[in-house]
Amino acid sequence: KRREDVMNQEQRFWHRFLELVQSNFKPSVYDFYVADAKLLTIQYQTAKIFLNRDFKKEFWEKNFEELMVAASFEVYGEPITILYQFTEETTQYTPQSGAIQPIENSIAEAAPAEILPTVHPDIKPKYTFENFVQGDNNQWAKAAALAVSDNLGGLYNPLFIFGGPGLGKTHILNAIGNKVLSDNPHARIKYVSSETFINDFLKHLQLNDMDSFKKTYRNLDFLLIDDIQSLKNKASTQEEFFNTFNALHTQDKQIVLTSDRNPDFLDNIEERLVTRFKWGLTSEITPPDYETRIAILRNKCDESLYTFTNETLSYLAGQFDSNVRDLEGALKDINLLASMRNLSEITVEVAAEAIRSRKQTSPQNLVIPIEKIQNEVSNFYGVSVKELKASKRVQHIVHARQVAMYLARELTDNSLPKIGKEFGNRDHTTVMHAYNKIKSLLLVDDNLEIEITAIKNKIR
Ligand code: ADP
Ligand code: MG
């Protein structure tokens, strides 16, 4: 079935408009001005648009209204008036005079829309392989994802990608979707978050309509399922996912999963599922190193309306070291400040001012370096920092090491791989193990609690 048959007129209008923006403006403009906007209603030849910031209106009026009118002509064969509002409530709009016909009336006569929307209902066009910056931290995941999109995936089925938040898992899944669709617009592909999968399943179960659920999820060439750790403790959904997985896998249909952790650490997910997750290829994305962070920043700033000095880029790369989402959020704040102040160049001072509030939301990450934790733990237990980082398995050293890792996890926002790195390049699973161990000891050992509180007080 062709896409435009499934979309209603309103959706076609909006999709067409988004396409036009995407082909006429830089992605940064799209991200900043359009990505959060919503079409609330179209009635009486008037489109009501929600904008999350009122100052965006002026930009819309200047730049996008023309495109909206063009989209309206294509879809409705009529021009359109645009109203903006800054809340998402849809209050009923009544036309000033009764003379205007509801737009629906003109549909029948409207020229057949000359569009072939390339927009897939659940795949985000903005996440592509082209704009996914490669670094040591993600190159294998990216290579595997590319292989899978080229249908070389027989070997990698399923492909299981895992890593901490904000490191590009959702981006890669969507990039696979976009690549597959651009190579073959008729590919049957579905991107779904595990949350949506759960809700979808429960809804169909309730409506006693499992047939259509199965039809949706089993007649696919590609199933891209995000954040699979969310299936934990959802026994009936896990059962259904197990069946979905098997149905697709036996037909050699490609499955790609993401998770915030290694399959071995997925708690409360059935063993038979975990086993299947490991059938294909498992690939980890770790936090980007400094060089990669600079490359990502450069890539994103190329699209900005403003010029970032090299110094600013180094500054930002130093401020956000574990999560690309934070890095992007910082750029958004900076773009916003620059647009409000009419700046053209972004200096370190401007960047620092723009991100101040963002940094205040995670003060612990700011004030407590892992090194400080290591020093205090080292003093407290009389174990050198070098020993904390080495691999010697003497009992008191092991204990001190585990406490230090526990505190690094507890008091900072650093990812497990980052912490592992700071402790003599250990695997993140070691950190996880140490953390869990100390945590469970704390439940039964009051002395340990006193020790740890004392160390914490020194650190703060
Ligand atoms: P996750 O799903 O792992 O939590 P996302 O895929 O949502 O992370 O990524 C967070 C943001 O960071 C997205 O906007 C994404 O485009 C961006 N991002 C992450 N990694 C990269 C990269 N290597 N190159 C470009 N953008 C990236
Ligand atoms: Mg994600």
Side-chain angles (χ1 to χ4, degrees):
K1 205 171 180 192
R2 296 199 332 174
R3 253 301 276 164
E4 63 261 44
D5 297 334
V6 204
M7 284 199 282
N8 68 30
Q9 206 122 12
E10 216 169 274
Q11 290 169 324
R12 273 169 46 197
F13 162 74
W14 187 243
H15 276 119
R16 182 57 185 148
F17 165 65
L18 296 181
E19 276 186 336
L20 288 171
V21 175
Q22 282 172 334
S23 52
N24 286 287
F25 288 88
K26 294 180 185 173
S28 60
V29 170
Y30 179 89
D31 284 354
F32 184 65
Y33 287 99
V34 185
D36 299 324
K38 285 190 185 133
L39 174 63
L40 297 172
T41 56
I42 298 187
Q43 279 178 317
Y44 311 108
Q45 272 179 267
T46 303
K48 228 192 251 180
I49 311 288
F50 161 75
L51 301 179
N52 61 353
R53 301 277 175 85
D54 50 12
F55 70 83
K56 290 184 181 174
K57 177 178 166 196
E58 210 175 306
F59 194 91
W60 273 69
E61 288 173 340
K62 251 217 293 271
N63 298 285
F64 301 147
E65 290 200 350
E66 222 177 303
L67 300 180
M68 239 186 286
V69 170
S72 174
F73 267 112
E74 286 185 30
V75 176
Y76 296 109
E78 301 253 0
I80 201 160
T81 310
I82 295 123
L83 289 182
Y84 300 93
Q85 70 177 53
F86 310 104
T87 62
E88 292 189 54
E89 292 157 35
T90 47
T91 44
Q92 204 59 32
Y93 168 72
T94 7
Q96 303 305 314
S97 87
I100 314 171
Q101 290 290 308
I103 203 161
E104 280 79 8
N105 288 357
S106 53
I107 292 171
E109 301 100 69
E114 202 191 291
I115 49 164
L116 237 181
T118 50
V119 191
H120 187 275
D122 38 52
I123 290 166
K124 294 212 172 70
K126 69 171 178 173
Y127 291 141
T128 62
F129 283 118
E130 287 73 33
N131 64 19
F132 187 77
V133 177
Q134 181 172 326
D136 289 347
N137 63 315
N138 60 30
Q139 57 176 332
W140 297 112
K142 183 176 179 180
L146 271 167
V148 155
S149 344
D150 285 337
N151 262 322
L152 304 172
L155 298 168
Y156 305 152
N157 204 9
L159 171 59
F160 188 102
I161 296 173
F162 73 96
L167 296 182
K169 301 181 297 292
T170 298
H171 188 133
I172 286 197
L173 274 191
N174 281 278
I176 294 175
N178 285 311
K179 175 94 173 35
V180 167
L181 285 172
S182 83
D183 293 344
N184 172 14
H186 301 290
R188 299 170 308 164
I189 186 160
K190 185 151 189 68
Y191 164 91
V192 70
S193 71
S194 297
E195 293 286 344
T196 306
F197 185 85
I198 295 166
N199 293 336
D200 219 16
F201 168 65
L202 295 176
K203 196 178 79 198
H204 283 87
L205 198 62
Q206 215 168 34
L207 297 173
N208 211 352
D209 183 23
M210 284 309 292
D211 280 350
S212 82
F213 181 88
K214 286 178 188 160
K215 226 160 135 191
T216 309
Y217 286 96
R218 296 186 191 182
N219 294 320
L220 290 172
D221 303 314
F222 284 79
L223 175 62
L224 312 171
I225 182 156
D226 212 352
D227 290 318
I228 200 73
Q229 77 277 356
S230 309
L231 288 189
K232 78 168 182 198
N233 295 328
K234 303 273 190 279
S236 56
T237 312
Q238 283 184 34
E239 164 97 37
E240 184 58 34
F241 185 67
F242 179 77
N243 295 328
T244 306
F245 186 104
N246 290 338
L248 292 171
H249 198 273
T250 48
Q251 300 172 69
D252 279 332
K253 302 305 184 189
Q254 181 68 47
I255 301 158
V256 187
L257 309 123
T258 72
S259 153
D260 68 352
R261 67 199 76 180
N262 187 308
D264 288 326
F265 288 89
L266 286 167
D267 357 294
N268 301 311
I269 293 206
E270 283 181 54
E271 196 47 43
R272 58 180 184 164
L273 269 177
V274 174
T275 308
R276 277 165 175 71
F277 296 165
K278 295 191 285 190
W279 272 355
L281 181 76
T282 299
S283 190
E284 179 174 14
I285 305 183
T286 54
D289 59 17
Y290 182 78
E291 262 64 53
T292 310
R293 297 201 296 277
I294 292 278
I296 291 174
L297 281 166
R298 261 190 221 297
N299 180 280
K300 309 225 178 248
C301 291
D302 275 354
E303 301 162 353
S304 171
L305 304 164
Y306 311 103
T307 315
F308 286 69
T309 66
N310 283 336
E311 212 190 344
T312 305
L313 296 186
S314 322
Y315 166 75
L316 289 171
Q319 294 293 307
F320 299 94
D321 62 356
S322 57
N323 182 325
V324 182
R325 187 177 291 124
D326 291 350
L327 215 52
E328 276 189 341
L331 287 181
K332 273 194 187 158
D333 292 350
I334 293 169
N335 281 315
L336 178 62
L337 187 73
S339 88
M340 292 190 308
R341 298 239 180 108
N342 257 324
L343 303 171
S344 58
E345 191 182 80
I346 311 295
T347 58
V348 173
E349 289 71 34
V350 172
E353 180 182 348
I355 66 174
R356 194 176 302 143
S357 60
R358 181 172 291 274
K359 300 249 44 167
Q360 272 161 6
T361 56
S362 56
Q364 296 184 334
N365 190 21
L366 253 192
V367 288
I368 307 179
I370 293 177
E371 200 187 348
K372 168 111 176 118
I373 294 174
Q374 291 171 333
N375 287 335
E376 291 304 339
V377 169
S378 148
N379 287 338
F380 189 90
Y381 290 110
V383 167
S384 73
V385 172
K386 209 169 150 200
E387 287 173 316
L388 287 179
K389 296 187 181 183
S391 53
K392 211 163 172 190
R393 299 211 47 89
V394 180
Q395 218 173 2
H396 74 284
I397 299 179
V398 172
H399 178 71
R401 193 181 290 139
Q402 290 183 332
V403 167
M405 288 181 186
Y406 168 84
L407 288 170
R409 174 94 173 119
E410 177 98 350
L411 299 179
T412 77
D413 284 337
N414 289 292
S415 67
L416 294 174
K418 173 86 198 294
I419 296 172
K421 216 168 168 185
E422 299 289 334
F423 282 88
N425 251 329
R426 286 187 156 78
D427 193 63
H428 72 281
T429 54
T430 311
V431 183
M432 181 95 105
H433 173 75
Y435 179 79
N436 290 335
K437 169 113 185 269
I438 299 296
K439 209 168 166 182
S440 53
L441 279 178
L442 275 172
L443 297 174
V444 293
D445 186 346
D446 291 345
N447 287 329
L448 181 62
E449 194 181 356
I450 295 166
E451 272 172 36
I452 286 187
T453 311
I455 302 170
K456 273 189 186 168
N457 288 338
K458 290 241 161 80
I459 292 170
R460 285 192 176 128

